[in-house]
Amino acid sequence: MITEKIPQLISKALGMRAFSYTPYSEYQVGAALLLKSGEIVGGCNIENIAFSPTCCAERTAIFKAVSEGKKDFAAIAIVGGPAGKEIEDYCAPCGVCRQVLSEFCDKDFPVILAKSPSDYKIMTLEEILPLSFKPDAQVGKSANA
């Protein structure tokens, strides 16, 4: 199912860039999160002058889905580049977004980095975040517990 959805996912991510709020960096990112049901949830980056409250496109899409009770993710496509310019390079998720993805996705989760619907590469979550800190870690528990 994922392979035939890739062009649609990338097109949705490209379209989401138009909704980006990026008055400081002028770097617009769009994401399209594919659910196992076939539904696609879009996200864009939303900046804030204080920067730390800024939310990336990937997290926007994930948080939108989770806030509606949807956690059955199948893949995510990500595109990004300077506002008003053609995308020239792949846009990988930041470390925070990689960690959020690891909260909800398995290590073989496909992350599609794209410049266009015909120019993309697919990596797994494990490839972009090896040795991730997973929800099943023994947080707050001693090794002898």
Side-chain angles (χ1 to χ4, degrees):
M1 173 176 84
I2 293 170
T3 304
E4 62 267 11
K5 291 274 192 179
I6 290 174
Q8 184 182 358
L9 272 175
I10 295 168
S11 292
K12 175 72 173 183
L14 286 165
M16 292 305 300
R17 290 182 70 224
F19 300 113
S20 292
Y21 176 74
T22 58
Y24 310 106
S25 72
E26 295 185 3
Y27 192 86
Q28 297 175 322
V29 181
L33 181 65
L34 176 65
L35 305 182
K36 291 180 182 174
S37 67
E39 180 183 352
I40 297 173
V41 178
C44 64
N45 56 326
I46 303 166
E47 294 180 346
N48 185 281
I49 195 165
F51 287 107
S52 62
T54 294
C55 191
C56 299
E58 302 91 311
R59 282 182 283 141
T60 298
I62 292 165
F63 295 163
K64 281 172 58 177
V66 171
S67 71
E68 295 174 8
K70 301 168 186 171
K71 298 178 195 159
D72 57 339
F73 307 150
I76 191 166
I78 306 160
V79 298
K85 295 185 179 179
E86 194 168 321
I87 296 173
E88 295 181 3
D89 205 357
Y90 299 114
C91 177
C94 74
V96 174
C97 289
R98 293 173 197 214
Q99 183 59 45
V100 170
L101 282 166
S102 77
E103 181 79 15
F104 297 100
C105 306
D106 293 329
K107 63 184 180 180
D108 61 346
F109 179 78
V111 178
I112 304 160
L113 308 178
K115 298 178 195 178
S116 73
S118 62
D119 186 354
Y120 62 88
K121 63 181 176 179
I122 303 172
M123 302 180 77
T124 66
L125 182 56
E126 184 174 44
E127 288 174 318
I128 66 168
L129 185 62
L131 304 172
S132 67
F133 188 62
K134 297 294 286 179
D136 59 357
Q138 297 296 311
V139 178
K141 297 180 182 177
S142 72
N144 299 326

